[in-house]
Amino acid sequence: MNYKELVDKENIPKHIGIIMDGNGRWAKKRGLPRSMGHKAGSDKVVEIVESCYNLGIKALTLYAFSTENWKRPSDEISKLMELLIFYVKTQLAKIKKNNIKINVLGDYTKFPDKVVSEITKALNETSENDKMILNIALNYGGQQEIVRATKNIISDLNNNIITLDDINTDSFKKYLYTFESPDLDLLIRPSGELRVSNFLLYQLAYSEFYFSDVLWPDFDENELCKAIYDFQSRDRRFGGL
Ligand code: FPP
């Protein structure tokens, strides 16, 4: 089915989050090393960012490296770092041309110097862009994000920048990494796993969930449109009737 044709262009989710999962299984199925799965996965990042941009999505948040991913073998971590550098190096010009702003969720300064410098460059050179936000979660955990926000709120409170009455569910959002993105409409998790894995815990409050058995390296524009088409059939009540 051609889902791109079926999607209602007037009802596109403003903010999509994706847990990019299944790179390892994709490689294993083909008798390839896991690193090849990550390479194929990073090629999909290029395709899906472009598709989101063309569909007019305002924010895309990609889970690229979690706080738990440090437990992986060091050569796999190095490969992921290499892919990140490669992605920024090869895509930055296009991202700038398309007026996309890159934003990082998580403490990426814990990454190797080369990664930190490439990412910092990308952040600086896209900071004024406003057509779309590409949030990349790097060394990210949703619980850690909430704790960080809480600490920053307490610090602002102690410094009399805010009062206790200023703290509410909306103002809390300003302390999250996604403060510039619209509310998360749709969470996509490919590869058949049915869990949230510490991703965007606060932001997920009223998101629609879409799980797919397709592995991330096979998740193409048509799969994205299938998820959006499914999203468009949902009755979103936000707690109302
Ligand atoms: C999960 O698959 C995927 C990751 C931990 C990394 C995601 C990274 C990329 C797609 C590439 C780099 C990112 C960018 C933004 C260029 P898995 O290894 O857990 O797969 P498995 O569950 O099948 O083993």
Side-chain angles (χ1 to χ4, degrees), residues 189-238:
R189 181 163 196 161
S191 96
E193 308 291 351
L194 306 179
R195 49 178 179 265
V196 167
S197 300
N198 206 13
F199 188 50
L200 302 179
L201 297 182
Y202 193 93
Q203 295 88 336
L204 283 172
Y206 286 103
S207 308
E208 297 295 326
F209 287 26
Y210 180 85
F211 295 103
S212 158
D213 286 336
V214 173
L215 304 173
W216 173 249
D218 292 325
F219 198 93
D220 57 12
E221 182 174 57
N222 200 45
E223 291 297 332
L224 174 73
C225 289
K226 188 176 175 185
I228 295 173
Y229 181 67
D230 192 87
F231 165 86
Q232 291 174 338
S233 73
R234 311 271 179 99
D235 177 19
R236 300 185 81 197
R237 291 190 298 278
F238 300 95

Side-chain angles (χ1 to χ4, degrees), residues 20-25 34 38 41-42 64 69 72 80 87 216:
M20 305 184 290
D21 196 10
N23 296 347
R25 278 163 283 166
R34 290 178 59 81
H38 292 313
S42 68
N69 285 153
R72 295 196 177 202
L80 286 167
Y87 177 78
W216 173 249

Side-chain angles (χ1 to χ4, degrees), residues 13-21 48 52 57-64 105 133-137 178 181-190 195-196 199-200 203-204 207-211 216 219 224 227-228 231:
K14 289 192 181 68
H15 183 179
I16 296 182
I18 306 182
I19 301 175
M20 305 184 290
D21 196 10
I48 294 298
C52 286
I57 284 154
K58 293 308 292 178
L60 171 67
T61 303
L62 298 175
Y63 208 176
L105 282 59
I133 299 181
L134 173 58
N135 293 310
I136 309 178
T178 48
S181 300
D183 283 343
L184 187 73
D185 294 310
L186 174 62
L187 171 78
I188 298 175
R189 181 163 196 161
R195 49 178 179 265
V196 167
F199 188 50
L200 302 179
Q203 295 88 336
L204 283 172
S207 308
E208 297 295 326
F209 287 26
Y210 180 85
F211 295 103
W216 173 249
F219 198 93
L224 174 73
I228 295 173
F231 165 86

Side-chain angles (χ1 to χ4, degrees), residues 40-108:
S42 68
D43 291 344
K44 276 299 148 182
V45 171
V46 177
E47 180 179 336
I48 294 298
V49 169
E50 191 150 334
S51 302
C52 286
Y53 170 81
N54 290 331
L55 285 161
I57 284 154
K58 293 308 292 178
L60 171 67
T61 303
L62 298 175
Y63 208 176
F65 196 91
S66 75
T67 43
E68 289 72 37
N69 285 153
W70 293 110
K71 293 178 203 149
R72 295 196 177 202
S74 62
D75 59 334
E76 183 168 340
I77 295 175
S78 305
K79 184 69 197 177
L80 286 167
M81 300 297 139
E82 263 175 44
L83 286 170
L84 274 171
I85 295 173
F86 183 77
Y87 177 78
V88 175
K89 281 198 164 180
T90 53
Q91 297 302 309
L92 188 57
K94 191 164 80 189
I95 285 171
K96 282 163 71 174
K97 185 170 110 337
N98 287 345
N99 196 12
I100 297 174
K101 175 174 181 155
I102 295 188
N103 178 42
V104 169
L105 282 59
D107 182 9
Y108 74 99

